Amino acid sequence: MARKPVIGIVCCSEQLGLHPFNIVGEKYILGVVDGADGLPLLIPALGERLDSAQLLTMLDGILFTGSPSNVEPHHYQGPASADGTKHDPKRDATTLPLIRQAIDQGVPVLGICRGFQEMNVAFGGTLHQRLYEVGGYIEHREDKTQPVEVQYGPAHEVRFEPGGLLHQIAGCSSAQVNSLHTQGVATLAAGLQPEATAPDGLIEAFSVSQATQFALGVQWHPEWQVRSNALYLSIFQAFGNACRARASRQP
């Protein structure tokens, strides 16, 4: 029996009580297990202390997760964040170089929400920090007064680029997705190919043009109850298949 692909899942650095912890939402772990049929391996947010060169030889794919924190704006020459904005500099120091290294070495990559935004920043793009204040966009934030099942329920349509990676994965031209983000793409980085847009024109997914293997970022959360949503499952299955293909070539 072929071994399951080892899929790294990046962690956030979080202070819990007196001590710093490396944590990741269980829904991302279940996305790897139930959606990609992979073996999850958590990647701590250690920045330069992480031996990424050795790590990448051990992994068949990497999932860059969502998070309550946002990329620090100095990484994309943005203005200072509003008071109270949550940041995670240890995660930034880990993920921003790791994204480029993984793609350069042919490691399949899937970015979700913050991970999607990290991919754009890593390639030189910029972000709207408070999308709801920009004007011209629909509401992309969740209603936090609602139960979690409602917050992660369908929020708006996305249209897939004809002939693109997501169009092929989904097998349709559009779909309903959830929406739980305050930030979004302002300038798409060179080398990133739009894959889906919201009705207001906001880029909701992209692929990496130069990547030799699967490299996709999505702004929504396909890990949520991945087995019960055909689109979400198809994304994780495509990612998992790319990871399995890499695993089959590993000694």
Side-chain angles (χ1 to χ4, degrees), residues 67 69-71 76 96 99 111-123 125-128 181-185 206 217-219:
S67 171
S69 69
N70 296 300
V71 177
Y76 52 91
L96 296 179
I99 287 167
I112 294 174
C113 200
R114 190 196 209 270
F116 161 89
Q117 294 163 10
E118 288 169 337
M119 290 176 71
N120 188 46
V121 171
F123 279 90
T126 65
L127 302 174
H128 290 304
H181 59 104
T182 59
Q183 302 204 334
V185 170
F206 53 66
V218 298
Q219 181 63 83

Side-chain angles (χ1 to χ4, degrees), residues 215-230:
L216 177 70
V218 298
Q219 181 63 83
W220 65 90
H221 286 265
E223 82 286 354
W224 176 253
Q225 298 181 347
V226 65
R227 300 294 302 182
S228 64
N229 184 293

Side-chain angles (χ1 to χ4, degrees), residues 55-94:
L55 176 68
L56 290 172
T57 67
M58 302 165 59
L59 296 178
D60 303 309
I62 304 181
L63 174 61
F64 293 89
T65 67
S67 171
S69 69
N70 296 300
V71 177
E72 288 192 305
H74 70 82
H75 290 293
Y76 52 91
Q77 293 74 53
S81 298
D83 290 345
T85 301
K86 185 176 177 62
H87 291 303
D88 187 347
K90 291 182 180 179
R91 172 161 168 158
D92 290 347
T94 304

